[in-house]
Amino acid sequence: HGDRPFMSEETSFPASLFPGLMEAKNPPHRISVLAQQFRLLLGKAEERISIGRAQPAVATDLGIAPDASLLMVDRVVHGLDGRPVEWRIGYCHFADQYYLAQIG
């Protein structure tokens, strides 16, 4: 946000659903675009929000002190068949910002 990062993310995908993804040079960062490329139909998503502490790598990514308080956003997106398609954990340091989720 502005000149300062406010979120660091870790994302995991089942290799069986996304063959060759690891070799892709510039894969899309949105699950909806990625699912379309791999011909997957997305179903529901679940998102959990909690408070945590910045681990050293995340603190470095965000330019904050280790152990600073963070908002943690843990999301699982399922395919239409119910299989997990994406697991993402976002670490957010807002200062004077807020989190907005637009789904759909």
Side-chain angles (χ1 to χ4, degrees):
H1 184 265
D3 62 347
R4 182 174 167 220
F6 70 92
M7 180 181 255
S8 176
E9 296 180 329
E10 297 175 17
T11 307
S12 297
F13 304 99
S16 62
L17 297 178
F18 298 94
L21 181 60
M22 292 297 293
E23 292 79 32
K25 292 188 188 217
N26 291 312
H29 66 279
R30 293 179 53 116
I31 186 59
S32 57
V33 175
L34 195 57
Q36 186 175 26
Q37 285 183 357
F38 284 85
R39 298 182 178 173
L40 298 170
L41 295 174
L42 298 179
K44 70 177 188 170
E46 298 173 346
E47 200 164 70
R48 292 186 187 106
I49 298 178
S50 61
I51 303 297
R53 299 273 179 201
Q55 297 300 312
V58 172
T60 298
D61 288 348
L62 297 176
I64 59 175
D67 286 333
S69 294
L70 296 173
L71 181 74
M72 295 172 46
V73 182
D74 185 335
R75 179 180 76 193
V76 176
V77 177
H78 299 272
L80 206 53
D81 61 2
R83 291 184 295 177
V85 172
E86 178 200 47
W87 176 33
R88 180 196 77 151
I89 299 179
Y91 304 94
C92 311
H93 186 259
F94 292 105
D96 59 348
Q97 304 301 313
Y98 60 90
Y99 175 74
L100 170 67
Q102 295 179 330
I103 302 171

